[in-house]
Amino acid sequence: MSTTRPAQRPEPKLREQAYDAFTRHLLRSDIKPGQFITQRELVALTGQPLGAIRELIPRLEVEGLIVTVPRRGLQILPLDISLIRNAFQFRLILEREAITSFCQTASDARIEQIEATHQAVVASAQKGATDDIIARAQQVDREFHETIIDDLNNDIISKAYRVNWIKVRLIRQNETSLEKDLVIPVMREHLAIIAAMKARDVDAATEAASAHIMNARARALRLD
């Protein structure tokens, strides 16, 4: 008697590769917020098999990166006022907690190293913000926030923060990311947070972090 062998599930590695490819193309604007896309198009975009894409979609839906619209199909998350407010509010909640902890526990040497990295970007940008310097500033910006978040040693928070970061990055790309005129002001906002950390002044550090995040929110809402 013959038996039907169940369909094989894609290897976890393929599912992660599909996710990484999807987010990479999303952040490169190869696919746009609000765009409708089919499973077959996702296969072509990511270079991953259909099985991996079918398993990827529920994850993207849970993370809010894709929404299923009845009778229309899969839609890349649309950018609207609600998303902007929610994403920055979530970021504010997480980062205030992380700043408080980091300010109290990080070593002086670690804080000074972060400070020196920012000062180097500012010094370079003052001579002229080239594409390379802008890219470096974007890297330093992301590493600063993720370092503080990851220092909480909470995998749930770290993962949630990174998904939210994708949304924030999409919002910022819609009105420009960390562009030439923003490099020095953003680095100086970070330096204000860092200075408070060096002084072990939790209140000043969280206040500076809140101001930094609200400035970014204002730019995204075009209120500045």
Side-chain angles (χ1 to χ4, degrees):
M1 180 178 177
S2 64
T3 58
T4 302
R5 180 178 292 180
Q8 281 190 320
R9 292 170 63 85
E11 293 290 334
K13 185 178 179 181
L14 291 181
R15 297 197 294 272
E16 287 304 314
Q17 287 175 349
Y19 182 84
D20 291 344
F22 173 85
T23 55
R24 184 170 62 252
H25 285 290
L26 185 60
L27 293 173
R28 286 179 181 172
S29 296
D30 297 329
I31 43 178
K32 307 284 188 181
Q35 174 184 337
F36 283 88
I37 193 165
T38 66
Q39 291 185 16
R40 293 292 180 184
E41 287 171 333
L42 286 173
V43 167
L45 184 75
T46 64
Q48 298 301 319
L50 184 58
I53 296 303
R54 285 175 173 162
E55 293 204 2
L56 170 67
I57 289 169
R59 175 179 177 180
L60 297 178
E61 289 177 320
V62 167
E63 293 183 352
L65 298 177
I66 272 183
V67 293
T68 299
V69 180
R71 295 186 296 277
R72 296 200 63 186
L74 302 173
Q75 184 183 29
I76 308 301
L77 83 161
L79 299 182
D80 56 24
I81 296 295
S82 177
L83 174 66
I84 293 170
R85 288 176 176 161
N86 292 345
F88 279 97
Q89 182 182 41
F90 189 55
R91 180 182 171 189
L92 185 64
I93 291 168
L94 295 185
E95 291 199 41
R96 283 178 64 89
E97 175 69 19
I99 289 285
T100 297
S101 175
F102 196 84
C103 189
Q104 296 170 331
T105 63
S107 68
D108 291 342
R110 192 176 187 193
I111 295 172
E112 287 169 3
Q113 181 182 25
I114 294 170
E115 182 181 48
T117 301
H118 282 75
Q119 288 172 338
V121 172
V122 171
S124 297
Q126 286 174 332
K127 299 174 185 177
T130 64
D131 289 344
D132 286 345
I133 292 170
I134 292 170
R136 175 60 178 152
Q138 290 173 340
Q139 180 183 2
V140 169
D141 176 64
R142 182 175 184 180
E143 288 176 352
F144 174 67
H145 293 286
E146 290 187 354
T147 293
I148 293 166
I149 287 290
D150 290 345
D151 199 64
L152 289 170
N153 290 317
N154 186 315
D155 191 49
I156 294 173
I157 290 176
S158 290
K159 287 179 179 178
Y161 183 85
R162 281 164 171 76
V163 173
N164 196 62
W165 177 85
I166 293 172
K167 296 174 184 177
V168 169
R169 179 70 183 271
L170 289 175
I171 292 165
R172 289 170 60 183
Q173 281 182 339
N174 202 48
E175 47 87 29
T176 69
S177 186
L178 188 55
E179 287 294 346
K180 182 178 179 180
D181 294 340
L182 292 176
V183 169
I184 292 176
V186 168
M187 291 295 105
R188 285 180 172 161
E189 288 176 8
H190 282 196
L191 285 167
I193 301 169
I194 294 164
M197 288 177 175
K198 286 181 70 175
R200 304 299 174 176
D201 188 334
V202 172
D203 289 341
T206 55
E207 184 177 338
S210 297
H212 170 58
I213 293 168
M214 294 309 289
N215 285 342
R217 177 182 181 270
R219 287 193 294 269
L221 291 169
R222 301 182 185 274
L223 298 177
D224 57 330

